Structure formats: structure tokens, C-alpha cells
Amino acid sequence: KKVCMIATCGRRSGLVASLSRVVCFGEVPAELRTIHDVCIQVDAEINLATVPGKTADELYHLLTKAYADRGFAEQILQHHQGGLIGYKCRHWIAQPGGTQVIKAGRAYAWNPTIAGKTIGTKSEDTIYLNKDGAVEVLSASPDWPMVDVKTADGRTMPRPDILVR
């Protein structure tokens, strides 16, 4: 298939950042194109919904709906979806009933993942909520191809596309 997924965590001055990217050597398989487009849509939804005051439970249910609305309801159960990141790869992950509260001044890494029939994909960056609660992407890859993804509420967020070599 000549496809590579890079999923990594890096530490600098004690703080951890995570990111995932997909590279395809040659033509992108149709299944990969389809599931990656869905994955980055789910990723944009969760990143932009990460606002102060939301709970891990609320965000888990938002993810559940985002997958289901796009025809991939079962994917919420295939992999953890991410959560608070800092001095560990995850201090907590979003789960049903999770009482952890999103706060400004903290970093989060969400990682929607879709396992297709023959191939899988993931979309992940580390975001920081500034004091005003606005999202800043800490793990941006300036030379990586990006797609402007429109969320259900009409907002747009650039998300990493598949790099084709």
C-alpha cells in the first residue's frame, strides 16, 4: 500500500506534545482518502469544541456523535480519543462519565482514529487553550499539506492532509 502513519510524542523542557501524520507514496487509495477526510472532520469538531467548562464526558459524546453522523459510529470504541496532555502523554482521556473539566492555560491532544477494512488513519495535534479560551495549535507542521475543514457549526479549522510523495 506504500502508506506510513507517523504517530509520535516529543518532550521539551518536560512538556509533551503529540502529533500524527499520514504519508502515501504514490496514489492515495480510495478507502484511505474517504476515511482520512472523515477523520479530519471529527478532529476539527473536537478541537474547536475544546472550550473552558466542557467536561470529558461532554467531549466524548461530541466525538461519538461526530463519528456516527459520518457513518463511522463504531470507531469511537476502536481507540482512545485523547485528552489532557502536559508532563505525560495523557493525564486523562475523554470517557463516558468523565468529570474532568477543560480549562484555559492547558494543552490537549485529541486523536480521532478510523480503522478501515484494509487501512487506517488518525488525525492529531497538540492544542493549547490560551487565557481567552482560544485554540492554538502547538504541533503545527508548516510544510505539511493542510485542508480547511468546516465544522457542523460553520467554523473552519486547518487540519493535516495526506502527504503524497
Side-chain angles (χ1 to χ4, degrees):
K1 293 180 179 72
K2 298 183 180 183
V3 175
C4 175
M5 182 189 316
I6 304 158
T8 189
C9 295
R11 184 182 307 274
R12 183 174 181 185
S13 300
L15 297 173
V16 177
S18 295
L19 70 87
S20 295
R21 301 290 186 266
V22 178
V23 181
C24 187
F25 300 91
E27 187 177 338
V28 176
E31 180 185 25
L32 178 58
R33 177 80 274 154
T34 298
I35 64 175
H36 191 77
D37 287 350
V38 168
C39 204
I40 62 177
Q41 291 167 14
V42 173
D43 195 28
E45 294 283 354
I46 188 64
N47 279 298
L48 293 178
T50 304
V51 296
K54 291 270 189 182
T55 65
D57 176 73
E58 289 174 297
L59 293 176
Y60 183 86
H61 288 292
L62 178 140
L63 283 158
T64 300
K65 182 176 178 357
Y67 281 115
D69 287 352
R70 292 162 177 87
F72 290 87
E74 74 288 352
Q75 294 301 315
I76 190 74
L77 303 173
Q78 300 301 316
H79 192 277
H80 81 81
Q81 301 300 307
L84 178 68
I85 191 169
Y87 291 100
K88 298 193 286 185
C89 286
R90 296 296 188 282
H91 290 276
W92 55 258
I93 58 172
Q95 300 178 63
T99 58
Q100 302 90 343
V101 177
I102 300 296
K103 296 179 182 175
R106 296 192 179 175
Y108 298 87
W110 304 106
N111 50 283
T113 306
I114 297 179
K117 289 183 171 82
T118 64
I119 199 161
T121 192
K122 179 161 56 165
S123 182
E124 176 183 29
D125 271 305
T126 300
I127 61 170
Y128 175 75
L129 290 185
N130 68 24
K131 65 180 180 168
D132 300 320
V135 171
E136 298 176 31
V137 177
L138 297 179
S139 53
S141 306
D143 294 331
W144 202 270
M146 302 295 284
V147 176
D148 286 331
V149 177
K150 193 171 192 173
T151 61
D153 65 3
R155 294 183 293 167
T156 301
M157 181 177 192
R159 301 309 310 129
D161 200 1
I162 300 166
L163 176 64
V164 179
R165 290 288 179 199

